[in-house]
Amino acid sequence: MSESSAPISGAMKGSNAKRGLWSSRLAFILAATGSAVGLGNVWKFPYITGENGGGAFVLVYLLCIAAIGLPIMMAEVLIGRRGGRSPVNSLREIARHDKLNPAWPIVGAIGVIAGFLILSFYSVIGGWAASYVVKAGSGQLAGQSADAIGAIFSDLLADPATLLMWHTLFMALVMLVVAKGVRAGLERAVSILMPALFLLLLTVVGYAMTTGEFGRAVTFLFQPDFSKLTTSGILVALGHAFFTLSLGMAVMMAYGSYLPKNISIAKTSIAVCVIDTGVALLAGLAIFPIVFANGLEPGAGPGLIFQTLPLAFAQMPMGSLFGTLFFVLLIFAAWTSGISLLEPIVEWLEEQKGMNRTTSTLGAGFVCWALGITSILSLNLWSDFAPLGAISMLEGKTIFDLLDFFTANILLPLGGLLIAVFAGWVMSRQAMEDELALSKPMFRLWYITVRYITPVAVGAVFIYNLIGS
Ligand code: PHE
């Protein structure tokens, strides 16, 4: 089946041939990390951790990463490499080859829809980060108090025109790269800019240690208090494991189709999970000491990092420089993730509708941009509008909240569930043993996880939340 495999875009394949196998392993890790590390780690993880009471939530999140995220990532990469095509076609090819139900490409369709909905609000948040480059760079934040910094953020949210401008800019950046179809340069940039982001986060953690509340932050993040954990908190932790690792929408499947056969899927997937989790935990360690030292509210919601990090940059030496650099790197991380959100849609339009890359990027990007306007309005003019408020679980949720909830907590886990079922129950066991090349006990552990643990865990969390609401 794989002789006829056609790579999705020539960029990585070509460079692999030139640079040999080791660099193609690195290329895969860079591409996958570029997609995984983004706003999910730095923006979303700290604020949902704050909203859900800290330690116990973090523990469930870590468990979800290790016991569900990692095995599903391996399954996605494996299916992609086996099929050797774009996700929809990989699934179709495997299904045809093994005479399976032709409905499986629906997983690819979930990816297309999820990518589209996520990118619409992701771009708005990417826009927030972009606006902070200017705020930090122009010295606006220097020496400001917590109240003043809070007010700067509220002013931004209250101003739809400014939000729209930054959202437009972010979306244009994403579309530019997707339209050109060139990823190689960007992936190389990841290898410099990601470590730089990591270092800057470490710098803020270093600063945060001097605020005197570091110990409290560590306790908050790592000492589980199960009385604070709710059923919906578990769903959020599970959903976030998918979101942060870019799972459940076949992104890793697409990248897997480039991975040479002799490279360990397990080791590379572990590397991506460790890097991604490391960045998230570091972001938490950077932010919570500032929260406690300034008497801020851990459950402040989506604005948390924009109310805390600028405060650190306002107070630390060379803060304007570090602040500017930090937000530039954050935009870059969000950019590479945004590209991987738009890519599946564009690919789908190319393959299924026969459109060319420029037209499909412009079309998909425009519709996504337009949908993003509803998220912008949710922050100001429509902040009281909860379209599905009649359902108790969705009470008080704005359109922006609903988009986030529906994608991260429902669509991605559902996509992941289907991928686990496909790998665990549909594909031939022999094929997977060949692909993974693990020791017998390790293979069995993985197989049991995708076959039983993942479907049962995701199913149980879904059902509990339905009953609980
Ligand atoms: N993983 C990205 C982040 O954490 C978001 C993302 C989700 C990207 C799904 C692609 C697919 O920011």
Side-chain angles (χ1 to χ4, degrees):
M1 161 177 29
S2 51
E3 309 80 27
S4 58
S5 63
I8 304 164
S9 84
M12 277 181 74
K13 188 98 178 182
S15 54
N16 290 344
K18 265 185 263 130
R19 282 183 282 139
L21 289 171
W22 182 81
S23 69
S24 58
R25 173 171 182 211
L26 187 65
F28 173 84
I29 294 182
L30 292 177
T33 310
S35 170
V37 175
L39 295 170
N41 309 62
V42 179
W43 162 72
K44 196 171 174 191
F45 172 74
Y47 99 73
I48 56 177
T49 297
E51 280 182 342
N52 288 283
F57 174 85
V58 174
L59 188 69
V60 176
Y61 157 77
L62 291 175
L63 254 171
C64 289
I65 295 275
I68 298 176
L70 174 64
I72 292 197
M73 185 180 288
M74 289 167 61
E76 282 202 23
V77 176
L78 181 162
I79 297 171
R81 184 160 84 179
R82 193 82 195 161
R85 293 172 160 79
S86 74
V88 175
N89 287 339
S90 280
L91 287 157
R92 185 169 293 141
E93 195 51 36
I94 295 174
R96 205 174 48 121
H97 186 266
D98 296 352
K99 305 205 173 36
L100 304 169
N101 188 330
W104 278 105
I106 193 132
V107 175
I110 291 187
V112 170
I113 297 167
F116 182 76
L117 298 177
I118 295 174
L119 183 58
S120 76
F121 69 83
Y122 202 86
S123 166
V124 174
I125 314 292
W128 294 1
S131 83
Y132 271 78
V133 173
V134 176
K135 292 192 204 308
S138 64
Q140 248 187 78
L141 305 172
Q144 298 286 10
S145 66
D147 284 345
I149 286 195
I152 290 175
F153 182 67
S154 329
D155 286 350
L156 174 67
L157 293 200
D159 180 355
T162 304
L163 291 171
L164 182 65
M165 179 185 86
W166 291 112
H167 162 56
T168 309
L169 181 77
F170 186 87
M171 195 63 101
L173 277 177
V174 169
M175 286 163 65
L176 190 75
V177 176
V178 175
K180 294 237 176 278
V182 282
R183 308 278 316 266
L186 213 71
E187 256 112 52
R188 233 164 293 138
V190 170
S191 67
I192 300 164
L193 297 173
M194 285 292 165
L197 179 67
F198 204 80
L199 275 181
L200 257 181
L201 272 172
L202 266 181
T203 310
V204 186
V205 173
Y207 166 79
M209 280 176 167
T210 67
T211 64
E213 295 294 349
F214 192 69
R216 228 175 118 194
V218 172
T219 311
F220 179 76
L221 282 170
F222 298 112
Q223 201 175 77
D225 173 356
F226 287 98
S227 69
K228 293 201 180 125
L229 191 64
T230 58
T231 347
S232 75
I234 298 177
L235 178 64
V236 174
L238 175 76
H240 188 61
F242 284 93
F243 185 87
T244 190
L245 294 174
S246 306
L247 295 178
M249 49 172 284
V251 168
M252 294 298 162
M253 218 182 270
Y255 291 157
S257 65
Y258 297 114
L259 197 65
K261 291 284 178 204
N262 59 342
I263 285 172
S264 161
I265 291 179
K267 280 189 204 147
T268 27
S269 302
I270 290 172
V272 176
C273 289
V274 168
I275 296 171
D276 187 81
T277 310
V279 174
L281 294 179
L282 219 49
L285 284 174
I287 285 157
F288 285 103
I290 305 168
V291 170
F292 294 125
N294 293 281
L296 301 170
E297 173 56 48
L304 189 65
I305 69 157
F306 297 95
Q307 286 153 346
T308 50
L309 288 179
L311 203 52
F313 297 128
Q315 293 160 1
M316 66 201 259
M318 298 204 298
S320 295
L321 177 69
F322 280 133
T324 315
L325 215 59
F326 176 83
F327 286 109
V328 167
L329 292 172
L330 182 59
I331 295 170
F332 181 81
W335 188 22
T336 52
S337 302
I339 291 161
S340 72
L341 286 161
L342 185 56
E343 186 71 32
I345 316 168
V346 168
E347 225 159 66
W348 184 81
L349 288 173
E350 280 181 316
E351 270 175 12
Q352 309 294 319
K353 307 280 169 215
M355 288 164 116
N356 71 33
R357 186 153 268 263
T358 314
T359 319
S360 44
T361 307
L362 282 175
F366 175 77
V367 181
C368 212
W369 171 84
L371 183 64
I373 295 174
T374 64
S375 285
I376 289 181
L377 294 174
S378 305
L379 302 167
N380 35 66
L381 302 177
W382 295 354
S383 61
D384 293 327
F385 177 44
L388 301 176
I391 303 168
S392 70
M393 191 196 237
L394 305 176
E395 212 180 293
K397 287 201 187 318
T398 60
I399 295 180
F400 166 67
D401 299 332
L402 288 174
L403 284 168
D404 174 36
F405 180 85
F406 180 65
T407 51
N409 300 354
I410 302 200
L411 269 187
L412 298 185
L414 191 66
L417 177 82
L418 292 175
I419 287 163
V421 170
F422 187 80
W425 295 91
V426 179
M427 276 177 82
S428 92
R429 183 179 168 141
Q430 191 54 49
M432 288 184 302
E433 274 187 66
D434 292 350
E435 286 294 339
L436 291 180
L438 291 169
S439 66
K440 272 244 159 351
M442 287 315 279
F443 178 80
R444 207 165 296 145
L445 183 65
W446 174 82
Y447 196 54
I448 291 173
T449 310
V450 287
R451 224 170 136 89
Y452 303 104
I453 301 184
T454 301
V456 170
V458 174
V461 174
F462 274 174
I463 292 167
Y464 268 116
N465 270 278
L466 279 178
I467 296 171
S469 67

